[in-house]
Amino acid sequence: MHWWASPFPLPLSAELGFPPLNGLLWPLLLLFLWYCYRMGSDLPPPGRAHPGGWARPPGTRRQVPGARRFMMLSRGSGGGPRGSETASGSEVPRAEQATRCISMETSEDEDPDGREYLTPVPGRPLFPAQASAAGRKLYAALQEYAKRYGWVGMGRIHKGLREQVRLSDHSTIQRPHLFFLPDVPSVPFFPRDAHRHDIELLEAQYPLILAEFQAVYQRGVDSKLGWSGPKGQTGFPLYSAGICVAGNCRSCPYTYRTLLSMRTFISSNSLGGAGFVLLGPGVTLGGSYGPTNARLRCHLGLQTPPLCELVVGGEPQRWSEGHCLLVDDSFLHTISHKGPPEDGPRAIFSVDLWHPNVAAAERQALDYIFNPDL
């Protein structure tokens, strides 16, 4: 039997007939394997920080990825030996300063009474003191949403709710009375391309929608038959403030199915609605503002006498039967029907759609904040 003279076996490359590796590659390979072993065996136990890292404050949740991680709490009181002070005036020991941070979410055991406000913008006032009760309610709903899903993508909504108290400072041409979403491009009338799919769907279903409107209109305009609103501007809602009007939807099954087929129809919060709207002859509705600029209102003309006009943000437009208008009703707008009584009422099918620049995460948050059941 043949024995090796050396205790070390031949390299694998020699046994397989390959040329030997460079002398530096073997030490590098061994170092790499040792590094992998150390990284796998040196994991810190739960609750302790990895060597070289900072520990997370006890009782707090992990921060949202991509958010700003830390912010200094001190505000330059001379850097004395006793430590720095927080915004409330209490001193923070030096040993604790190394781990203090402002998280995008508060700890689970903080603020049991709900008197504090979450804020993803450290260092700013938590909420305007002069905010109305409705504004505080909306802000509280945003907090609850952020606790469940995080603050990612909520920057514009948070900013809009904080600045809601200054809506009176906005231009008189655009002033939504409920919620203004900042940094959203706005024009009085939007082109068809903004919601091409939904507009083409509505216009393709125009004959069926018109037939169902005529059927419910010929039965009579009466509150007992599903109509509502003041004399001169009466509506037959299929959705009202995010709630389906079941009886009216049963009367218009094809129109109801068309609504369900639309991609951007606002059907889950109080900002959205859909239905037939009448405007009687000789009626003029003075300047008013819609509730928000986060939506667009789509008008499908059903019965449009020639002397009917819609003026939005100073720009006049007229309806056309079988065609849609995309309107941002957060602008100052007026509606008039100056035709004679024999022309009959102007009739449109109105649908509220999401503004094309409102992201999917923002739509989900607004559905939660403006939930009809809250």
Side-chain angles (χ1 to χ4, degrees):
M1 182 178 295
H2 178 71
W3 297 92
W4 290 104
S6 172
F8 299 100
L10 287 175
L12 182 62
S13 60
E15 294 182 2
L16 298 179
F18 294 111
L21 295 175
N22 191 302
L24 290 177
L25 292 182
W26 288 108
L28 292 177
L29 179 61
L30 292 175
L31 286 175
F32 174 74
L33 294 176
W34 176 83
Y35 174 77
C36 294
Y37 169 76
R38 292 291 296 174
M39 290 299 294
S41 61
D42 288 351
L43 292 178
R48 296 187 60 185
H50 193 279
W54 281 10
R56 194 171 63 225
T60 59
R61 302 176 183 173
R62 184 177 58 186
Q63 296 182 11
V64 179
R68 180 183 296 178
R69 299 293 197 224
F70 301 99
M71 178 178 177
M72 297 299 294
L73 290 179
S74 60
R75 283 199 174 184
S77 57
R82 295 186 301 172
S84 60
E85 296 183 351
T86 63
S88 61
S90 59
E91 294 187 358
V92 180
R94 283 183 176 273
E96 192 176 338
Q97 292 178 23
T99 58
R100 288 296 299 268
C101 67
I102 294 182
S103 173
M104 299 295 286
E105 298 187 52
T106 58
S107 62
E108 295 181 356
D109 53 352
E110 289 180 357
D111 187 22
D113 300 329
R115 290 171 295 186
E116 297 290 339
Y117 287 98
L118 295 174
T119 171
V121 187
R124 295 182 60 183
L126 294 178
F127 198 71
Q130 65 273 29
S132 63
R136 290 183 177 274
K137 182 178 179 181
L138 294 177
Y139 198 80
L142 176 61
Q143 295 177 49
E144 294 298 325
Y145 178 85
K147 287 180 181 179
R148 297 185 181 186
Y149 307 106
W151 285 102
V152 176
M154 299 298 103
R156 291 196 301 183
I157 296 178
H158 180 266
K159 180 180 178 182
L161 290 177
R162 292 172 65 92
E163 297 180 353
Q164 193 71 17
V165 295
R166 295 198 293 270
L167 274 183
S168 58
D169 298 336
H170 287 195
S171 170
T172 56
I173 196 173
Q174 185 186 27
R175 189 184 296 171
H177 59 78
L178 183 59
F179 173 67
F180 181 81
L181 186 64
D183 306 324
V184 172
S186 297
V187 291
F189 294 96
F190 275 72
R192 296 169 55 90
D193 290 342
H195 287 302
R196 178 174 292 276
H197 173 272
D198 290 345
I199 287 180
E200 291 180 349
L201 177 64
L202 281 175
E203 294 179 349
Q205 299 298 321
Y206 164 72
L208 294 175
I209 296 175
L210 177 62
E212 291 186 339
F213 161 72
Q214 291 174 341
V216 297
Y217 180 69
Q218 291 171 3
R219 290 187 316 186
V221 180
D222 192 295
S223 59
K224 298 179 180 179
L225 300 176
W227 293 85
S228 61
K231 185 177 180 179
Q233 188 188 22
T234 311
F236 187 83
L238 303 185
Y239 276 81
S240 177
I243 299 176
C244 177
V245 184
N248 291 358
C249 289
R250 284 193 291 267
S251 300
C252 306
Y254 289 105
T255 306
Y256 173 68
R257 292 172 190 168
T258 301
L259 286 175
L260 297 184
S261 301
M262 300 178 72
R263 297 176 180 174
T264 57
F265 170 49
I266 304 177
S267 60
S268 303
N269 66 61
S270 58
L271 301 177
F276 303 115
V277 183
L278 302 179
L279 184 68
V283 176
T284 298
L285 301 178
S288 60
Y289 302 94
T292 180
N293 65 328
R295 75 176 191 188
L296 299 181
R297 181 154 281 185
C298 181
H299 291 175
L300 173 65
L302 301 176
Q303 181 176 312
T304 58
L307 296 180
C308 297
E309 188 178 57
L310 169 65
V311 181
V312 181
E315 299 182 17
Q317 287 282 357
R318 292 188 177 182
W319 296 275
S320 178
E321 295 178 0
H323 298 279
C324 291
L325 279 179
L326 269 182
V327 183
D328 186 346
D329 68 340
S330 65
F331 285 86
L332 181 67
H333 59 276
T334 59
I335 304 173
S336 62
H337 182 354
K338 299 180 181 179
E342 53 268 21
D343 283 350
R346 179 231 60 184
I348 61 171
F349 181 57
S350 177
V351 187
D352 291 328
L353 310 177
W354 285 110
H355 191 289
N357 290 88
V358 178
E362 294 173 322
R363 296 179 185 182
Q364 181 179 344
L366 291 175
D367 280 343
Y368 185 90
I369 296 171
F370 292 97
N371 190 313
D373 297 331
L374 293 180

